[in-house]
Coordinates of all heavy atoms in Angstrom, one line a residue:
M15 N 38.7 83.8 122.2 CA 38.1 83.2 123.4 C 38.0 81.7 123.2 O 37.5 81.3 122.2 CB 36.9 84.0 123.9 CG 36.2 83.2 124.9 SD 34.6 84.0 125.4 CE 35.2 84.9 126.8
Q16 N 38.2 81.0 124.2 CA 38.1 79.4 124.1 C 36.9 79.0 125.2 O 37.2 79.4 126.5 CB 39.3 78.7 124.3 CG 40.2 79.0 123.2 CD 41.5 78.1 123.3 OE1 41.5 77.0 124.0 NE2 42.6 78.6 122.8
V17 N 36.0 78.2 124.8 CA 35.0 77.9 125.9 C 34.9 76.3 125.9 O 35.0 75.6 124.9 CB 33.6 78.3 125.4 CG1 32.5 78.0 126.4 CG2 33.6 79.9 125.4
V18 N 34.8 75.9 127.1 CA 34.6 74.3 127.3 C 33.2 74.2 128.0 O 32.9 74.9 129.0 CB 35.7 73.7 128.1 CG1 35.3 72.3 128.7 CG2 37.1 73.8 127.4
I19 N 32.4 73.3 127.3 CA 31.2 73.0 127.9 C 31.1 71.6 128.3 O 31.4 70.6 127.7 CB 30.0 73.1 126.8 CG1 30.1 74.6 126.2 CG2 28.6 72.9 127.3 CD1 29.3 74.8 124.9
L20 N 30.8 71.4 129.7 CA 30.8 70.2 130.2 C 29.3 69.8 130.5 O 28.6 70.7 130.9 CB 31.6 70.1 131.6 CG 33.0 70.5 131.6 CD1 33.6 70.6 133.0 CD2 33.7 69.4 130.8
H21 N 29.0 68.5 130.3 CA 27.6 68.2 130.6 C 27.5 66.7 131.0 O 28.3 65.9 130.9 CB 26.8 68.1 129.2 CG 27.2 67.1 128.2 ND1 26.9 65.8 128.2 CD2 28.2 67.2 127.2 CE1 27.4 65.2 127.4 NE2 28.2 65.9 126.5
E22 N 26.5 66.6 131.9 CA 26.1 65.2 132.4 C 24.7 65.0 131.9 O 23.8 65.7 132.2 CB 26.1 65.2 134.0 CG 25.5 64.1 134.6 CD 26.2 62.8 134.4 OE1 27.4 62.8 134.1 OE2 25.5 61.7 134.4
S23 N 24.7 64.0 131.0 CA 23.4 63.9 130.3 C 22.8 62.4 130.5 O 23.6 61.4 130.4 CB 23.6 64.0 128.7 OG 22.2 64.1 128.1
L24 N 21.6 62.2 131.0 CA 21.1 60.9 131.3 C 20.3 60.3 130.0 O 20.5 59.1 129.6 CB 20.0 61.0 132.4 CG 19.4 59.7 132.9 CD1 20.5 58.8 133.6 CD2 18.3 60.0 134.0
T25 N 19.6 61.3 129.2 CA 18.8 60.8 128.2 C 19.4 61.4 126.8 O 18.8 61.1 125.7 CB 17.3 61.1 128.2 OG1 17.2 62.5 128.2 CG2 16.7 60.4 129.5
G26 N 20.3 62.2 126.9 CA 20.8 62.8 125.7 C 20.4 64.2 125.5 O 21.0 65.0 124.7
T27 N 19.4 64.7 126.2 CA 18.9 66.0 126.1 C 19.8 67.1 126.5 O 20.0 68.0 125.8 CB 17.4 66.2 126.9 OG1 16.5 65.2 126.4 CG2 16.8 67.5 126.6
T28 N 20.4 67.0 127.6 CA 21.4 67.9 128.1 C 22.7 67.9 127.3 O 23.1 69.0 126.9 CB 21.9 67.6 129.5 OG1 20.8 67.4 130.3 CG2 22.8 68.5 130.0
E29 N 23.0 66.8 126.6 CA 24.2 66.8 125.6 C 23.6 67.7 124.4 O 24.5 68.4 123.8 CB 24.5 65.4 125.2 CG 25.6 65.3 124.3 CD 26.0 64.0 123.8 OE1 25.5 63.0 124.2 OE2 27.0 63.8 123.0
Q30 N 22.4 67.5 123.9 CA 22.2 68.2 122.8 C 22.0 69.7 123.0 O 22.4 70.4 122.2 CB 20.6 67.7 122.4 CG 20.1 68.3 121.2 CD 18.5 67.8 120.9 OE1 18.0 67.1 121.7 NE2 18.1 68.1 119.8
A31 N 21.6 70.1 124.2 CA 21.6 71.6 124.6 C 23.0 72.0 124.6 O 23.2 73.0 124.2 CB 21.0 71.7 125.9
A32 N 23.9 71.2 125.1 CA 25.3 71.6 125.1 C 25.9 71.8 123.7 O 26.4 72.9 123.4 CB 26.3 70.6 125.9
R33 N 25.6 71.0 122.8 CA 25.9 71.2 121.4 C 25.3 72.4 120.7 O 25.9 73.0 119.9 CB 25.8 69.9 120.6 CG 26.6 68.6 121.2 CD 26.7 67.6 120.1 NE 27.5 66.6 120.9 CZ 28.7 66.5 121.0 NH1 29.5 67.5 120.5 NH2 29.4 65.4 121.6
L34 N 24.0 72.6 121.1 CA 23.3 73.9 120.6 C 24.0 75.2 121.0 O 24.1 76.1 120.3 CB 21.9 73.8 121.0 CG 20.9 72.8 120.3 CD1 19.6 72.7 121.0 CD2 20.8 73.1 118.8
I35 N 24.5 75.1 122.3 CA 25.0 76.3 122.8 C 26.5 76.4 122.2 O 26.8 77.6 121.7 CB 25.4 76.1 124.4 CG1 24.0 76.2 125.1 CG2 26.3 77.1 124.9 CD1 24.1 75.8 126.5
A36 N 27.1 75.3 121.8 CA 28.5 75.5 121.3 C 28.3 76.0 119.8 O 29.2 76.7 119.3 CB 29.1 74.1 121.2
N37 N 27.3 75.4 119.0 CA 27.0 76.0 117.7 C 26.7 77.5 117.8 O 27.1 78.1 116.8 CB 25.9 75.0 117.1 CG 26.3 73.8 116.8 OD1 27.4 73.4 116.6 ND2 25.4 72.8 116.6
A38 N 25.9 77.9 118.8 CA 25.7 79.4 118.8 C 26.8 80.2 119.0 O 27.0 81.3 118.5 CB 24.5 79.6 119.9
L39 N 27.8 79.7 119.9 CA 29.0 80.4 120.2 C 29.8 80.5 119.0 O 30.4 81.4 118.6 CB 29.8 79.7 121.2 CG 29.2 79.9 122.8 CD1 29.8 78.9 123.8 CD2 29.2 81.3 123.1
F40 N 29.9 79.2 118.2 CA 30.6 79.2 116.8 C 30.1 80.3 116.0 O 30.9 80.9 115.4 CB 30.6 77.8 116.4 CG 31.3 77.6 115.0 CD1 32.7 77.6 115.0 CD2 30.6 77.7 113.9 CE1 33.4 77.4 113.7 CE2 31.3 77.5 112.6 CZ 32.6 77.5 112.7
D41 N 28.9 80.4 115.9 CA 28.1 81.4 114.9 C 28.6 82.8 115.2 O 28.6 83.7 114.5 CB 26.7 81.3 114.9 CG 26.1 80.0 114.3 OD1 26.9 79.4 113.7 OD2 24.9 79.7 114.7
H42 N 29.1 83.0 116.5 CA 29.6 84.4 116.9 C 31.0 84.4 117.0 O 31.6 85.3 117.5 CB 29.0 84.7 118.2 CG 27.4 85.1 118.2 ND1 26.5 84.2 118.3 CD2 26.8 86.2 117.9 CE1 25.3 84.6 118.1 NE2 25.5 85.9 117.9
G43 N 31.7 83.4 116.3 CA 33.2 83.5 116.2 C 33.8 83.0 117.5 O 35.1 83.5 117.7
I44 N 33.3 82.2 118.4 CA 33.9 81.8 119.7 C 34.0 80.2 119.5 O 33.1 79.6 119.3 CB 32.9 82.2 120.8 CG1 32.8 83.6 120.9 CG2 33.5 81.5 122.1 CD1 31.9 84.3 121.9
A45 N 35.3 79.8 119.8 CA 35.6 78.4 119.7 C 35.0 77.7 121.0 O 35.2 78.2 122.2 CB 37.0 78.2 119.7
A46 N 34.3 76.6 120.9 CA 33.7 75.9 121.9 C 33.8 74.5 121.7 O 33.7 73.9 120.6 CB 32.3 76.4 122.2
R47 N 34.3 73.7 122.8 CA 34.3 72.3 122.8 C 33.5 71.7 123.8 O 33.4 72.3 124.8 CB 35.8 71.9 123.0 CG 36.7 72.3 121.9 CD 38.2 72.1 122.2 NE 38.3 70.5 122.1 CZ 39.6 69.8 122.4 NH1 40.5 70.6 122.7 NH2 39.5 68.6 122.3
V48 N 32.9 70.6 123.4 CA 31.9 70.0 124.2 C 32.4 68.6 124.8 O 32.9 67.8 124.0 CB 30.5 69.7 123.5 CG1 29.6 69.0 124.3 CG2 30.0 71.1 123.0
F49 N 32.3 68.5 126.1 CA 32.8 67.2 126.6 C 31.8 66.5 127.8 O 31.1 67.4 128.4 CB 34.1 67.2 127.4 CG 35.3 67.7 126.5 CD1 35.6 69.1 126.6 CD2 35.9 66.8 125.7 CE1 36.7 69.5 125.9 CE2 37.1 67.3 125.0 CZ 37.4 68.6 125.1
P50 N 31.7 65.3 127.9 CA 30.9 64.8 129.0 C 31.8 65.0 130.3 O 32.9 65.1 130.2 CB 30.7 63.2 128.8 CG 31.8 62.8 127.8 CD 32.1 64.2 127.0
V51 N 31.0 65.1 131.4 CA 31.8 65.5 132.6 C 32.7 64.3 133.0 O 33.7 64.6 133.7 CB 30.8 65.8 133.8 CG1 30.2 64.6 134.2 CG2 31.5 66.5 134.8
T52 N 32.5 63.0 132.5 CA 33.3 62.0 132.9 C 34.6 61.8 131.9 O 35.3 60.9 132.1 CB 32.5 60.7 133.0 OG1 31.8 60.5 131.7 CG2 31.5 60.8 134.1
G53 N 34.6 62.6 130.9 CA 35.6 62.4 129.8 C 36.1 63.7 129.2 O 36.2 63.7 128.0
Y54 N 36.4 64.7 129.9 CA 36.9 65.9 129.4 C 38.3 65.8 129.2 O 39.1 65.1 129.7 CB 36.5 67.0 130.3 CG 37.1 66.9 131.7 CD1 38.3 67.6 132.0 CD2 36.3 66.4 132.7 CE1 38.6 67.5 133.2 CE2 36.7 66.3 133.9 CZ 38.1 66.9 134.2 OH 38.4 66.9 135.5
D55 N 38.8 66.7 128.3 CA 40.3 67.0 128.0 C 40.8 68.0 129.0 O 40.4 69.1 129.0 CB 40.5 67.5 126.6 CG 41.9 67.7 126.1 OD1 42.7 67.8 127.0 OD2 42.1 67.8 125.0
Q56 N 41.6 67.6 129.8 CA 42.3 68.5 130.9 C 42.9 69.6 130.4 O 42.8 70.7 130.9 CB 43.2 67.6 131.8 CG 42.3 66.7 132.8 CD 43.2 65.9 133.7 OE1 44.4 66.1 133.7 NE2 42.6 65.1 134.5
E57 N 43.7 69.6 129.3 CA 44.4 70.6 128.6 C 43.4 71.6 128.1 O 43.7 72.8 128.3 CB 45.3 70.0 127.5 CG 46.5 69.4 128.1 CD 47.4 68.7 127.0 OE1 47.3 69.1 125.8 OE2 48.3 68.0 127.3
A58 N 42.3 71.1 127.4 CA 41.3 72.2 126.9 C 40.7 72.8 128.1 O 40.4 74.1 128.0 CB 40.2 71.4 126.1
L59 N 40.4 72.0 129.2 CA 39.9 72.8 130.4 C 40.8 73.8 130.9 O 40.4 74.9 131.2 CB 39.4 71.7 131.3 CG 38.6 72.2 132.6 CD1 37.3 72.8 132.2 CD2 38.4 71.1 133.5
A60 N 42.0 73.6 131.1 CA 43.0 74.4 131.6 C 43.1 75.7 130.7 O 43.4 76.8 131.3 CB 44.4 73.8 131.9
A61 N 43.0 75.4 129.4 CA 43.2 76.7 128.5 C 42.0 77.5 128.3 O 42.0 78.5 127.6 CB 43.6 76.1 127.1
A62 N 40.8 77.0 128.8 CA 39.5 77.7 128.6 C 39.5 79.0 129.3 O 39.9 79.1 130.4 CB 38.4 76.8 129.0
D63 N 38.8 79.9 128.6 CA 38.5 81.3 129.1 C 37.3 81.2 130.0 O 37.1 81.9 130.8 CB 38.5 82.3 128.1 CG 39.8 82.5 127.3 OD1 40.8 82.7 128.0 OD2 39.8 82.3 126.2
M64 N 36.3 80.4 129.5 CA 35.1 80.2 130.1 C 34.7 78.7 130.1 O 34.9 77.9 129.2 CB 34.0 80.9 129.4 CG 32.7 80.8 129.9 SD 31.3 81.7 128.9 CE 31.8 83.4 129.2
V65 N 34.1 78.2 131.3 CA 33.6 76.9 131.4 C 32.0 77.0 131.6 O 31.6 77.6 132.5 CB 34.2 76.1 132.6 CG1 33.6 74.7 132.7 CG2 35.8 76.1 132.2
I66 N 31.3 76.2 131.0 CA 29.8 76.1 131.2 C 29.5 74.7 131.5 O 30.0 73.8 130.7 CB 29.1 76.4 129.8 CG1 29.4 78.0 129.3 CG2 27.6 76.3 130.0 CD1 28.9 78.3 128.0
A67 N 28.8 74.6 132.5 CA 28.5 73.2 133.0 C 27.1 73.0 133.1 O 26.3 73.9 133.5 CB 29.1 72.9 134.5
G68 N 26.5 71.9 132.7 CA 25.1 71.5 132.7 C 24.8 70.1 133.0 O 25.6 69.3 132.6
T69 N 23.6 69.9 133.7 CA 23.3 68.6 134.1 C 21.8 68.6 134.0 O 21.0 69.4 133.9 CB 23.8 68.2 135.5 OG1 23.4 66.9 135.6 CG2 23.3 69.1 136.5
W70 N 21.3 67.4 133.9 CA 19.8 67.1 134.0 C 19.4 67.4 135.6 O 20.2 67.4 136.3 CB 19.4 65.7 133.5 CG 20.4 64.5 134.2 CD1 21.4 64.1 133.8 CD2 19.8 63.7 135.3 NE1 22.0 63.1 134.8 CE2 20.8 62.8 135.5 CE3 18.7 63.6 136.1 CZ2 20.8 61.9 136.6 CZ3 18.6 62.7 137.1 CH2 19.7 61.8 137.4
T71 N 18.2 67.5 135.7 CA 17.7 67.7 137.1 C 16.9 66.5 137.5 O 16.2 65.8 136.7 CB 16.7 69.0 137.2 OG1 15.7 68.9 136.3 CG2 17.6 70.3 136.9
D72 N 17.0 66.3 138.9 CA 16.2 65.2 139.6 C 15.2 65.9 140.6 O 15.6 66.9 141.3 CB 17.2 64.3 140.2 CG 16.6 63.0 140.8 OD1 15.6 62.6 140.3 OD2 17.1 62.5 141.7
G73 N 14.1 65.2 140.7 CA 13.2 65.9 141.6 C 11.7 66.1 141.1 O 11.6 65.9 139.8
F74 N 10.9 66.7 141.9 CA 9.6 67.1 141.3 C 9.7 68.5 140.6 O 10.4 69.1 140.8 CB 8.6 67.2 142.5 CG 8.3 66.0 143.2 CD1 8.9 65.7 144.4 CD2 7.6 65.0 142.6 CE1 8.8 64.4 145.2 CE2 7.3 63.7 143.3 CZ 7.8 63.6 144.5
I75 N 8.7 68.5 139.6 CA 8.7 69.8 138.8 C 8.6 71.0 139.5 O 9.3 72.1 139.3 CB 7.5 69.6 137.7 CG1 7.9 68.4 136.7 CG2 7.5 70.8 137.0 CD1 6.8 68.1 135.9
L76 N 7.7 71.1 140.6 CA 7.4 72.3 141.3 C 8.3 72.6 142.5 O 8.6 73.8 142.9 CB 6.0 72.3 141.8 CG 4.9 72.2 140.7 CD1 3.5 72.2 141.3 CD2 5.1 73.5 139.7
F77 N 8.9 71.4 143.1 CA 9.8 71.8 144.2 C 10.8 70.6 144.3 O 10.5 69.5 143.7 CB 8.9 71.9 145.4 CG 8.2 70.7 145.9 CD1 8.7 69.7 146.4 CD2 6.9 70.6 145.1 CE1 7.9 68.6 146.8 CE2 6.1 69.4 145.6 CZ 6.7 68.5 146.3
G78 N 11.9 70.8 145.0 CA 12.8 69.6 145.3 C 13.8 69.3 144.1 O 14.5 68.4 144.1
Q79 N 13.8 70.2 143.1 CA 14.8 69.9 142.1 C 16.2 70.2 142.4 O 16.6 71.0 143.2 CB 14.4 70.7 140.8 CG 13.3 70.4 140.0 CD 13.0 71.1 138.8 OE1 13.6 72.1 138.5 NE2 12.2 70.5 137.8
R80 N 17.1 69.3 141.9 CA 18.5 69.3 142.2 C 19.2 68.8 141.0 O 18.7 68.0 140.2 CB 18.8 68.6 143.5 CG 18.4 67.1 143.5 CD 18.5 66.6 144.8 NE 17.9 65.2 144.8 CZ 16.7 64.9 144.8 NH1 15.7 65.8 144.9 NH2 16.3 63.7 144.8
P81 N 20.5 69.2 140.8 CA 21.3 68.7 139.6 C 21.4 67.1 139.8 O 21.6 66.7 140.8 CB 22.6 69.4 139.8 CG 22.4 70.5 140.7 CD 21.3 70.0 141.6
G82 N 21.2 66.5 138.8 CA 21.5 65.0 138.8 C 22.9 64.7 138.7 O 23.7 65.3 138.0
R83 N 23.3 63.9 139.4 CA 24.7 63.2 139.6 C 25.7 64.3 139.8 O 26.6 64.3 139.3 CB 25.1 62.4 138.3 CG 24.3 61.0 138.2 CD 24.8 60.4 137.0 NE 24.0 59.3 136.7 CZ 23.8 58.6 135.6 NH1 24.5 59.1 134.6 NH2 23.0 57.7 135.3
K84 N 25.3 65.3 140.7 CA 26.1 66.4 140.9 C 27.6 66.0 141.4 O 28.5 66.7 141.3 CB 25.5 67.5 141.9 CG 25.4 66.9 143.2 CD 24.5 68.0 144.0 CE 24.3 67.4 145.5 NZ 23.6 68.5 146.2
K85 N 27.7 65.0 142.0 CA 29.0 64.6 142.6 C 30.0 64.2 141.4 O 31.2 64.5 141.7 CB 28.9 63.3 143.3 CG 28.2 63.4 144.6 CD 28.1 62.1 145.5 CE 27.4 62.4 146.7 NZ 27.3 61.2 147.6
R86 N 29.5 64.0 140.2 CA 30.5 64.0 139.1 C 31.2 65.2 138.7 O 32.3 65.2 138.1 CB 29.7 63.4 137.9 CG 29.5 61.9 138.1 CD 28.9 61.3 136.8 NE 28.4 59.9 136.9 CZ 28.2 59.2 136.0 NH1 28.3 59.6 134.7 NH2 27.9 57.9 136.2
F87 N 30.6 66.3 139.2 CA 31.2 67.6 138.8 C 32.4 68.1 139.7 O 33.0 69.0 139.4 CB 30.1 68.8 138.8 CG 29.3 68.7 137.6 CD1 28.2 68.0 137.5 CD2 29.9 69.5 136.5 CE1 27.4 68.1 136.3 CE2 29.1 69.5 135.3 CZ 27.8 68.8 135.2
K88 N 32.7 67.3 140.9 CA 33.6 67.6 141.7 C 35.0 67.1 141.2 O 36.0 67.6 141.4 CB 33.5 66.8 143.1 CG 32.3 67.5 143.8 CD 32.1 66.8 145.2 CE 30.9 67.5 145.8 NZ 30.7 67.0 147.1

């Protein structure tokens, strides 16, 4: 199984979480590659069995949260 993890990180925290997920997958024998949403490998994405996407959130803590820069995921 091949996994691609795409992230949009403003401060580096989301990127760090993406790398932690990739390391956990690797520990279970699953190959995972991590890319920023603005610079991914199209061939790796096409060959992936699973894609995980993550972004930082914008808005208030209790309400109104939404993905940050969600247009970049289109």
Side-chain angles (χ1 to χ4, degrees):
M15 174 179 258
Q16 295 182 27
V17 177
V18 168
I19 303 172
L20 299 173
H21 66 81
E22 171 61 24
S23 189
L24 185 64
T25 62
T27 304
T28 307
E29 179 180 4
Q30 183 180 9
R33 295 197 182 284
L34 288 171
I35 293 168
N37 289 338
L39 291 169
F40 179 79
D41 290 345
H42 288 88
I44 300 171
R47 296 181 65 187
V48 177
F49 298 101
V51 73
T52 57
Y54 59 89
D55 181 341
Q56 291 183 357
E57 291 179 14
L59 188 61
D63 298 305
M64 178 187 292
V65 177
I66 300 171
T69 183
W70 52 278
T71 57
D72 189 22
F74 294 106
I75 294 172
L76 299 176
F77 59 91
Q79 288 188 339
R80 60 194 172 277
R83 295 184 187 156
K84 65 182 180 182
K85 289 183 181 181
R86 289 190 178 188
F87 280 93
K88 292 183 180 185

